[in-house]
Amino acid sequence: MHLPAHEFVKPRTLAESLDVLRQAGNVKLIAGGTDVTFNMRGRLFQPDVLLSVRGLDELSGVGVDGDGWLRVGAATRLTDIENAPALGDWPMLRKACRSVASRHVRNMATLGGNLCLDTRCWYTNQTAEWRQARGPCLKNGVEACHAIKTSPVCVALNASDIAPALIALDAEILLASADNERRLPLADFYTADGVHHTVRKSDELLVAVRVPPTADATVYIKETARKGNDFSYAVIAGRKTDERVSKLVLGCLSMRPIQLTGVLDVLGSGELTEALIDQAADACRAELGVLTNLYTPAAYKAGLARALVRRALQTLKET
Amino acid sequence: MAARPDDKLNVIGRRQRRIDGFDRVSGRSEFTDDIRLPGMLHGKILRSTQTHARIVRIDTSKAEELPGVKAVVTHKDAPDLMFSEHQPVLAGDVVRYVGEEIAAVAALDLLTAEEALELIEIEYEPLPSATTLRQALREGAPVLHVRSPDNVGPTMEKDWGDPDRGFAESDCVIEDEFRTPMQHNTLAELHVALADFSNPDKLHMYTPTQGAPMYQMELAKGFGLETSQVRVVYRNIGGAFTGRGRPKPHHFVAALLSRKAGKPVKIKATADEEFIMFRASGETVYKFRTGVTSDGVIKALEADITFDAGGHDEWAMILWLPSVYLNWVYQAVGVRYRGRFVFTNTVPKGSHHGGIMGRMSAGWQQHIAHVAQELGMDPADLHLKNAVMPGHESPDGSVFASCGLRDCIKAVVDRSGWKHKYGKLPKYRGIGIGLGAQASGSKAADNDTSAAMVKIAADGVVTLYTGIPDMGQGSHTVMCMIAAEVLGTEPESIRVVQGDSDITPFDWGAFSQRGTFTTGNAVKAACEDARQQLAEIASRELDVAADRLEFGAGRVAVRGNAEQSMSFSEVANKSLHSTEGRFVMGRGFFNSPKPFGALAFSFGAQVAEVEVDPVTGAVTVDKVWAAHDIGRVINRLAVEGQLDGQVFSGMSQVLYEECKVEDGLILNPSRLEYKLPRAYELPEVDYTLVETIDPYGPFGAKEVGEGPIVVSMSAVAAAVQNAVGAMVPEMPMTPWRVLRMLRATADGSTDVGKAWSEGLD
């Protein structure tokens, strides 16, 4: 399939880009294009303007700010992040970046693109003819969901492998528009709605991600159908602060990454005994919300979440 | 003449690199999609978006008016052009599945063709549909074809030997049920057809194929031509795996568009369209029944198989394929087979890599392991006790002139340490054994002929003309090795002319594992003919009796006197550039003396060892021990490659592959979501080659093209069965299914099948 007709705009500066975002109507942002072009070929969206931010200076590069925070430009390629010496102090981020797709994809794909990845659903991520055969859904503005018939919101899955790691690291993001700039924790970026799955406004651009310095022990596990080059069945990112598990974030199981605060409450500051790990793993189901049969059966997702929590806690226990 | 094991061979049995290997890895190999003919148009097919509907109206006028569109075709353009007996190439009044071909467009470029498709208006009147076996067989189910009011299409019921006596003589009769899903062959090269029918007297069809004759015959029949008026041209081919045996609808559509537009038209599948075009295997339910004496003698074997044929019965051959497997492995008194096609509103089906036998074997060999378990026997002992032997005549009349099955079983049992492992492995580890047999060139009709020619040019260069395609299996390398052995030269020095039915001699093609066996025999005969011609000329020139000449290093020499010799060039010149004016051209052919069935059979046994993750349900295949009697090994490197590939594909089908189908739509029609494993998942393979020297095969060779995958699938399935503690009733054995099995067996459930069917997905 070919890309539908569109105007391709590639400004030289961030300011110009933000102007385009404010003025043009139906704009889709593109950086590496590994996901956007693919979905556009399938007519998942047909923007009037494709706005490329690839290689923009203001959006590129990895460095450590004066306050010791890591700063990564949103349009930095995943390969460049992996290879940046600064990442030595944030090993979980390096691991998460490296777990994405294949070397070829990471040579194109960007951090911002990964964090903003459109949610996925096997009733939507198909060709136009396929969707025509099946009928429209919430993604097309119609009150219908094929995954969960009664669902009032789109339940397509968040697909970012990196977001859980960055949330566990307390990362914050910088969003800019032509006349405003705001910071917010990455944890607050995502919503429980597969259609409008982030709080990014249509005139805003994700400029950078900042990660506070930390020496905490971390764990990152990605479960896939096969090794390498695949979307996840599920990922988990965890962190231990002062001998206490401080973060557990599950990704790719529902519309947004899930912070398992209830599991942390069960753990408290107790010693990570097998009994406590089991108890904590059992507690995770209540925090998952509604699970779908998208790509894997719902019961398997619940079981996998439990298994990943166990494995993450066992790893943290040993570190 | 059959070769003896002690024959001195120079080339046969080597580890020979592919003669086209460099071209392949350097990107120099040309594939069909690389071909661009002058004035070539691009075609696209409009497919049904309905599972079952009456077509009320088709309006193509807007598409026809779009600038750049050169032809639009619908059923009206070719109402009598049939794809199968009851199935027009382009749907007439009814569509029976999502994806059915309705109309097609040829345009100057692909973009315009795609745009034109969107301008075709179709009005449907939806009809009730049945998209699964269960729905189609239900009382009062929607009927797909009036000729089959119960939705049951062709059936086959056959007994061989005396199964009733066999069951009567049995102390114990075991039954099991197994299911396999719709699966898809993910070929490296997508389907593509480039038709040039601008001259209505000659249809040129450029396409990857397993053999030109069937394409010529079917296209000729469809378009009212003589077979020779259809020229089939092919280049390198990226895999076939049963999928390029005969033309598919897009071949006819491309020809139709080309005839109408007066220009060549290329139709190439998109990656998702491939799942519709391929016609892979469908949902299948197997009921196995085996009668056995208390001391482990298998008396009777029975299988009852229900196939989802899809919307049309395109390939009825699938019906009888599994029956042979029942006949060829064990020495039973009787075999009973029941097969039936059921129509559903889904894409018509063909088969997956391994034919139907591979899929069946994943259940059947678990069933045989279950029989052993009931008897308190080690399954390896049960296999060995009942395995066929040389000289055996199976109930279906097949005679095994050579057979090393028992040696194969012994080899894998020995090499895998089976006796130390079976029943003794830690929890969640499993070991399984499977057996298989495969015909090497199974003749279904008189025209199962291979012919070959070999030319020795005046410069001494040997050129082989063959119609056998190389789909990646390395057949051309094997043919060059056979030719080099006979002519006393090197495989790399031989040129191969292939891929054009106007030029190459008749060859039925690469089906039913006939390449090495049948074409190999033809090439051998052609080279022997050429050798005799060379010997005659050299004998005259060197003034020595022909039987005193020997061939080696591209020369003809007097035995024991290397001084007295001539190069091929010198010999060919003496013949060609003289008043004689005759060039050296050997001809050979092979057509089995048997009217039906095969002359030679390959056999194999494999043991697989697996580990199941009790938390995630993931299965890892750690190692596979494979022992195969494939007759004489021609190219050891290619044989090992075949074994690796088939272990991989077998494991992949058993553990990973599944088209998720919902309401007649495939939910995962992409290489991303159809979870094929990758090289990382390939287990270590230990090879044992049992070289029985077959009296009919070229230098004693049989086949290695499909036999091993059937065995791999059974061994991997039996290993998972062993690890989870009960027969796994369904493929693929995905993590969630394995977890469900583990729960069921942990609960001490006596009826795992029931626990299974009440499961979630």
Side-chain angles (χ1 to χ4, degrees):
Chain A
M1 294 291 284
H2 286 74
L3 287 175
H6 63 275
E7 189 189 347
F8 185 82
V9 179
K10 188 166 182 358
R12 284 162 196 276
T13 64
L14 174 60
E16 274 179 65
S17 304
L18 295 175
D19 273 344
V20 175
L21 261 185
R22 186 174 56 178
Q23 284 165 16
N26 180 12
V27 186
K28 185 79 186 176
L29 284 159
I30 181 169
T34 54
D35 199 58
V36 168
T37 48
F38 195 77
N39 291 341
M40 238 172 111
R41 285 203 188 99
R43 306 292 191 270
L44 266 64
F45 36 79
Q46 302 197 35
D48 299 325
V49 174
L50 205 49
L51 173 59
S52 172
V53 293
R54 185 176 188 168
L56 269 191
D57 279 347
E58 297 95 324
L59 266 63
S60 301
V62 182
V64 178
D65 288 343
D67 54 4
W69 286 48
L70 177 77
R71 182 194 171 94
V72 184
T76 312
R77 303 183 315 153
L78 298 183
T79 298
D80 294 334
I81 301 174
E82 280 172 57
N83 294 339
L87 264 282
D89 293 333
W90 289 270
M92 175 156 69
L93 178 57
R94 173 173 281 167
K95 188 170 181 188
C97 288
R98 196 168 278 173
S99 81
V100 174
S102 66
R103 167 67 57 210
H104 312 82
V105 172
R106 297 197 296 276
N107 283 343
M108 299 285 286
T110 65
L111 179 62
N114 187 274
L115 295 179
C116 296
L117 270 183
D118 277 313
T119 55
R120 293 176 353 109
C121 167
W122 64 16
Y123 299 97
T124 302
N125 292 64
Q126 304 282 4
T127 61
E129 298 80 44
W130 196 102
R131 290 193 302 276
Q132 199 188 331
R134 184 68 201 198
C137 68
L138 288 158
K139 285 242 185 189
N140 319 104
V142 174
E143 292 286 320
C145 176
H146 303 301
I148 295 179
K149 306 282 177 229
T150 55
S151 182
V153 293
C154 171
V155 292
L157 307 182
N158 186 297
S160 173
D161 288 330
I162 303 175
L166 282 172
I167 291 172
L169 289 168
D170 284 325
E172 64 167 39
I173 57 171
L174 182 64
L175 288 163
S177 64
D179 36 42
N180 195 19
E181 194 178 290
R182 59 173 175 145
R183 289 167 193 279
L184 77 161
L186 180 62
D188 298 341
F189 186 51
Y190 297 103
T191 72
D193 177 345
V195 175
H196 305 286
H197 74 298
T198 71
V199 298
R200 186 184 71 85
K201 297 186 188 114
S202 63
D203 64 344
E204 282 182 319
L205 184 62
L206 176 59
V207 174
V209 177
R210 281 183 16 109
V211 192
T214 172
D216 288 353
T218 55
V219 58
Y220 179 86
I221 306 166
K222 166 169 168 163
E223 186 71 21
T224 49
R226 48 201 172 178
K227 294 188 193 87
N229 204 0
D230 211 348
F231 283 107
S232 304
Y233 279 169
V235 296
I236 191 163
R239 176 173 172 192
K240 194 163 73 173
T241 312
D242 300 333
E243 290 308 305
R244 183 185 167 122
V245 180
S246 55
K247 293 280 179 186
L248 278 176
V249 188
L250 275 168
C252 306
L253 285 166
S254 61
M255 300 85 94
R256 62 170 164 185
I258 304 163
Q259 291 210 64
L260 300 175
T261 51
V263 174
L264 298 182
D265 288 343
V266 170
L267 290 168
S269 53
E271 191 194 337
L272 288 176
T273 60
E274 277 302 304
L276 185 61
I277 288 176
D278 270 340
Q279 205 188 329
D282 287 340
C284 96
R285 178 63 188 95
E287 299 189 74
L288 300 178
V290 175
L291 294 174
T292 64
N293 284 328
L294 292 172
Y295 304 103
T296 57
Y300 178 74
K301 288 192 180 75
L304 186 59
R306 188 183 185 285
L308 287 179
V309 168
R310 276 187 56 88
R311 273 166 59 188
L313 291 177
Q314 273 160 347
T315 309
L316 287 177
K317 180 186 171 183
E318 289 154 17
T319 47
Chain B
M1 226 10 253
R4 296 185 313 276
D6 55 353
D7 278 349
K8 191 178 167 300
L9 297 170
N10 290 318
V11 178
I12 303 292
R14 266 188 201 172
R15 302 178 68 83
Q16 174 69 44
R17 274 195 309 192
R18 292 181 67 103
I19 53 163
D20 54 351
F22 183 80
D23 287 347
R24 287 269 169 142
V25 298
S26 63
R28 207 156 63 183
S29 293
E30 192 182 45
F31 290 80
T32 300
D33 194 34
D34 296 321
I35 301 171
R36 306 252 184 289
L37 296 180
M40 186 180 89
L41 304 175
H42 295 268
K44 287 295 287 181
I45 296 173
L46 183 73
R47 299 177 177 280
S48 165
T49 56
Q50 304 285 312
T51 45
H52 197 188
R54 195 168 298 288
I55 298 176
V56 179
R57 184 179 66 91
I58 303 180
D59 184 352
T60 58
S61 54
K62 285 180 193 155
E64 282 160 29
E65 285 160 17
L66 186 72
V69 170
K70 297 298 175 188
V72 180
V73 292
T74 65
H75 181 75
K76 276 194 284 186
D77 291 88
D80 302 323
L81 183 60
M82 302 301 282
F83 182 65
S84 66
E85 193 183 346
H86 303 283
Q87 174 191 12
V89 167
L90 293 171
D93 51 346
V94 176
V95 284
R96 292 181 177 83
Y97 63 93
V98 173
E100 184 154 5
E101 296 80 2
I102 297 177
V105 172
L108 290 175
D109 58 77
L110 206 48
L111 200 59
T112 307
E114 282 171 6
E115 207 180 326
L117 283 196
E118 290 172 18
L119 295 174
I120 297 177
E121 293 167 16
I122 300 183
E123 192 184 321
Y124 298 103
E125 179 192 319
L127 298 169
S129 58
T131 56
T132 62
L133 282 178
R134 194 178 289 186
Q135 286 173 14
L137 291 171
R138 207 159 40 199
E139 194 74 29
V143 175
L144 273 82
H145 298 280
V146 282
R147 65 180 189 278
S148 303
D150 55 357
N151 286 329
V152 175
T155 59
M156 174 174 170
E157 296 191 359
K158 198 162 167 60
D159 288 354
W160 292 271
D162 192 344
D164 287 325
R165 180 164 70 86
F167 280 115
E169 288 172 5
S170 300
D171 299 317
C172 174
V173 176
I174 308 288
E175 295 183 36
D176 279 303
E177 197 173 314
F178 188 63
R179 301 176 86 86
T180 53
M182 178 177 174
Q183 291 182 317
H184 172 72
N185 310 40
T186 39
L187 301 179
E189 182 189 13
L190 299 180
H191 280 302
V192 55
L194 166 53
D196 185 356
F197 208 177
S198 44
N199 174 351
D201 283 339
K202 185 100 181 184
L203 168 58
H204 304 259
M205 179 62 70
Y206 300 77
T207 190
T209 172
Q210 284 176 250
M214 191 113 74
Y215 282 62
Q216 289 179 280
M217 284 158 52
E218 292 198 10
L219 288 165
K221 187 175 160 213
F223 290 103
L225 302 169
E226 295 298 328
T227 308
S228 295
Q229 284 174 289
V230 180
R231 172 181 172 229
V232 174
V233 185
Y234 49 95
R235 297 287 186 261
N236 289 282
I237 298 165
F241 307 116
T242 75
R244 308 201 204 267
R246 52 176 290 207
K248 293 187 186 292
H250 65 277
H251 293 100
F252 290 89
V253 174
L256 206 53
L257 284 169
S258 174
R259 191 172 66 180
K260 190 163 181 180
K263 298 277 186 198
V265 175
K266 182 189 280 181
I267 293 181
K268 188 188 175 194
T270 56
D272 61 283
E273 200 179 15
E274 187 79 2
F275 281 74
I276 300 287
M277 281 165 129
F278 190 92
R279 275 54 170 158
S281 53
E283 185 190 359
T284 313
V285 178
Y286 314 75
K287 287 180 177 153
F288 302 115
R289 197 160 161 257
T290 297
V292 64
T293 65
S294 52
D295 57 348
V297 176
I298 293 175
K299 288 287 185 179
L301 295 161
E302 183 182 307
D304 180 327
I305 308 183
T306 304
F307 299 92
D308 170 3
H312 298 279
D313 49 330
E314 287 184 356
W315 206 32
M317 180 180 151
I318 292 165
L319 262 185
W320 63 261
L321 273 176
S323 70
V324 296
Y325 190 22
L326 293 170
N327 272 286
W328 293 344
V329 181
Y330 305 111
Q331 308 183 55
V333 173
V335 170
R336 173 166 292 152
Y337 176 71
R338 302 286 181 265
R340 59 175 176 165
F341 267 8
V342 176
F343 294 116
T344 66
N345 292 111
T346 60
V347 62
K349 304 306 189 315
S351 86
H352 198 337
H353 187 192
I356 301 301
M357 295 200 288
R359 289 154 60 84
M360 167 180 152
S361 80
W364 190 46
Q365 293 283 287
Q366 282 194 76
H367 164 68
I368 297 295
H370 178 204
V371 170
Q373 205 180 354
E374 292 290 330
L375 294 172
M377 271 181 91
D378 179 332
D381 295 338
L382 181 70
H383 287 312
L384 196 57
K385 184 160 194 162
N386 293 282
V388 292
M389 293 188 287
H392 175 75
E393 182 173 347
S394 67
D396 69 351
S398 300
V399 179
F400 305 141
S402 65
C403 171
L405 182 55
R406 285 171 181 243
D407 290 337
C408 292
I409 299 171
K410 287 176 194 157
V412 290
V413 164
D414 184 40
R415 293 183 68 83
S416 67
W418 175 273
K419 291 289 174 190
H420 306 290
K421 289 178 179 168
Y422 182 74
K424 297 170 184 135
L425 290 173
K427 207 173 177 188
Y428 306 123
R429 284 192 78 81
I431 192 162
I433 182 167
L435 305 191
Q438 181 60 278
S440 190
S442 199
K443 187 169 169 180
D446 287 344
N447 61 4
D448 194 320
T449 300
S450 285
M453 299 189 299
V454 61
K455 181 177 82 175
I456 318 280
D459 58 2
V461 170
V462 179
T463 305
L464 177 65
Y465 293 75
T466 176
I468 194 83
D470 195 330
M471 298 103 65
Q473 80 277 45
S475 55
H476 291 164
T477 304
V478 160
M479 296 311 147
C480 287
M481 289 177 77
I482 290 173
E485 185 67 53
V486 174
L487 292 170
T489 175
E490 286 299 315
E492 295 89 343
S493 71
I494 296 174
R495 295 186 184 171
V496 178
V497 172
Q498 62 123 5
D500 189 334
S501 66
D502 271 4
I503 295 171
T504 52
F506 185 96
D507 196 308
W508 187 235
F511 302 92
S512 310
Q513 326 321 318
R514 65 186 293 290
T516 296
F517 188 84
T518 311
T519 306
N521 269 322
V523 167
K524 184 164 176 274
C527 294
E528 282 163 352
D529 185 12
R531 181 180 160 127
Q532 196 179 341
Q533 293 174 33
L534 290 169
E536 271 173 28
I537 301 158
S539 146
R540 192 179 63 205
E541 296 298 321
L542 295 169
D543 195 20
V544 61
D547 61 5
R548 283 195 55 214
L549 294 171
E550 63 181 5
F551 284 65
R555 297 185 76 83
V556 189
V558 176
R559 192 174 293 119
N561 184 1
E563 302 283 291
Q564 255 191 299
S565 72
M566 296 173 76
S567 67
F568 282 7
S569 171
E570 286 164 335
V571 180
N573 267 299
K574 286 290 175 200
S575 171
L576 182 61
H577 299 306
S578 68
T579 52
E580 199 174 353
R582 183 162 69 101
F583 71 86
V584 180
M585 171 68 99
R587 296 186 301 161
F589 88 105
F590 189 81
N591 187 312
S592 162
K594 275 186 81 169
F596 188 84
L599 276 178
F601 299 81
S602 71
F603 300 90
Q606 289 185 20
V607 165
E609 193 172 338
V610 302
E611 177 151 16
V612 172
D613 183 328
V615 178
T616 64
V619 178
T620 308
V621 183
D622 287 331
K623 187 162 179 179
V624 171
W625 292 265
H628 288 270
D629 160 22
I630 58 170
R632 167 93 67 193
V633 173
I634 305 258
N635 183 358
R636 195 163 291 269
L637 197 58
V639 166
E640 290 174 3
Q642 280 286 350
L643 287 173
D644 283 344
Q646 291 178 63
V647 165
F648 180 78
S649 178
M651 172 204 74
S652 167
Q653 290 184 50
V654 172
L655 300 179
Y656 291 84
E657 296 181 39
E658 177 174 24
C659 291
K660 301 288 286 182
V661 185
E662 189 179 282
D663 301 337
L665 275 165
I666 303 170
L667 293 171
N668 55 340
S670 72
R671 307 241 166 159
L672 183 60
E673 301 307 344
Y674 186 81
K675 299 295 184 189
L676 205 69
R678 302 207 176 84
Y680 298 115
E681 277 85 20
L682 177 66
E684 182 188 348
V685 183
D686 176 271
Y687 325 99
T688 304
L689 303 179
V690 175
E691 293 190 71
T692 62
I693 304 304
D694 190 82
Y696 304 105
F699 299 100
K702 298 192 282 192
E703 71 86 35
V704 68
E706 193 173 75
I709 186 175
V710 177
V711 190
S712 301
M713 291 181 73
S714 57
V716 170
V720 178
Q721 172 189 27
N722 184 243
V724 302
M727 173 153 172
V728 187
E730 190 173 9
M731 264 180 18
M733 299 172 188
T734 50
W736 40 97
R737 288 187 178 131
V738 167
L739 284 181
R740 196 190 305 156
M741 283 301 297
L742 288 174
R743 270 200 304 276
T745 51
D747 292 348
S749 171
T750 50
D751 189 350
V752 175
K754 185 163 174 289
W756 186 274
S757 62
E758 286 167 358
L760 270 175
D761 64 45

